[in-house]
Structures are given as C-alpha cells and as structure tokens.
Amino acid sequence: MFRKCTFFARLIIAFGAAVVGYQSAFAQDAAAVLIRASDAMGATNLKSLRYTTEGTGYTFGQAFKPGMPWPKINVHSQIRTINYDTASMREEFTLSRGEPRGGGGYPHVAQQRTDQFVSGAFAWNQVGPAPVPGPRFVADRVHQLWITPHGVVKAAMKINAVAQPGKSPAAVSFTEPGRFVATVFFNADYLVERVESRAPDAVLGENAVVTSYADYRDFAG
C-alpha cells in the first residue's frame, strides 16, 4: 500500500509539474507577444495620451421601454486625457439630447458639460467650482482607462497575462483584480484589434463589453 500511495503521489506531482510548465510556456509566449505589440504601437515609453473627438452616443441601459434602443445623445466634444503612470484619467464632455425623449438627465435643448475624473481608487465629477465624489464610478472609469489600445498592453504586461492558444495571430488574457477581466486580440501587425472584457455593474452585476480598434496611423513617427 505504501508503494501504491507513493506512486500515486508521484503521478500527482508529475501532473502538477506538467500543468505548471504548460502555463509557464504560455506566460512566456504572452510576454513575447506583448513586447512585440508594445514596440509596434509605441507604448513602451508612452506615459500620457490625449484623445479628442465628437459624434453621437447612447445612454447605457436607459431605454424608454424594455426592448427599445438606448436614448441617443449628441457628443459635441469629448476630450480624454490619460496618465498611465499614475492610473489617472480626465474626461471632458459637452453633450445634448439627440431625441426628444432623451435619457440620462440631459437637458431638452441646451448643451451640458461634464468633467469626470479617476485616479487610482478614487473618482469624482467637477460640477462648477466644487468636486463631487463618485465612488460608484471607479470601476467603470478604471475599465475605460485600461482598455485603451496602449493601456491594455501596459496592463497586460503589468499583470502577467496568459496567451490564449489557437488564436490567430495572437491573443492574451488577464485580470485586473476587483475591476475587470479582459482578452486582447492582436492583428497581423501586433496592433490591438479588439478587447473583450467583463466589468462589474451596480445594477446588472456584470457587463460584457467588446471594444474594437482599427485604422491605425503613425503619429510623428
């Protein structure tokens, strides 16, 4: 009996070592993919970034009736400023309703400006001269910060992502503890093509999000 138990224990140890080796190999593959992606995207030495845009959007989860589209909004201006070193982001919106029924508390006619912040574990809105704490916004804004193309590469490198076998040309997955989980898909040039993530939500419990990126262009080399 002793020999049988010893043999069984050796099998468990051997199997465990094989699993660890298998995971280690994929971790190494993920590291190689992320280094290549970081170089291709210019993320290696990037510390801060600023996006500006305008267009249309929709008020998430606030359909007038179940099954109807979310209320449309006009985004007259959106400026997103990110500091990856300090895990901070500022988002400046100028919005108005895109349809009469509206949603999200936006005024019927006039434009509304919102100034939103997150830094580390803190979030707040700037309303006039006074900041208003918004702890319930932390998870969503941290998620938005780190699923940007450069941010998701930096986050995956920091958290030791694992490669996803069978994904072409390459994909890695990682978890930001207590915030979100994400799988990052790269195109043939090792640029971020798509991020599939799951983030907590105060009402729904969790949201599945797919974010796509395309039409990359060089900027100042």
Side-chain angles (χ1 to χ4, degrees), residues 42-172:
T44 305
N45 298 315
L46 181 69
K47 295 184 178 181
S48 60
L49 198 59
R50 186 172 185 263
Y51 295 96
T52 60
T53 188
E54 60 184 28
T56 56
Y58 298 85
T59 307
F60 175 69
Q62 295 196 23
F64 185 71
K65 291 182 179 179
M68 291 182 63
W70 298 333
K72 184 178 178 181
I73 56 175
N74 298 313
V75 182
H76 302 279
S77 173
Q78 178 183 358
I79 303 172
R80 174 179 286 184
T81 307
I82 299 172
N83 186 317
Y84 292 116
D85 281 357
T86 60
S88 303
M89 181 174 71
R90 177 183 183 181
E91 200 137 41
E92 303 165 78
F93 285 105
T94 303
L95 308 170
S96 67
R97 290 192 181 196
E99 55 187 66
R101 287 175 174 170
Y106 302 119
H108 285 279
V109 179
Q111 296 180 7
Q112 176 176 304
R113 178 189 167 93
T114 64
D115 214 352
Q116 306 173 357
F117 297 82
V118 65
S119 184
F122 301 95
W124 66 97
N125 294 341
Q126 190 75 26
V127 182
V132 178
R136 66 190 180 94
F137 302 126
V138 173
D140 177 64
R141 293 179 190 176
V142 167
H143 174 245
Q144 291 295 325
L145 191 163
W146 290 116
I147 63 168
T148 55
H150 300 86
V152 79
V153 171
K154 289 178 175 290
M157 295 180 80
K158 178 183 67 175
I159 301 174
N160 297 322
V162 176
Q164 294 298 304
K167 304 297 183 182
S168 179
V172 302

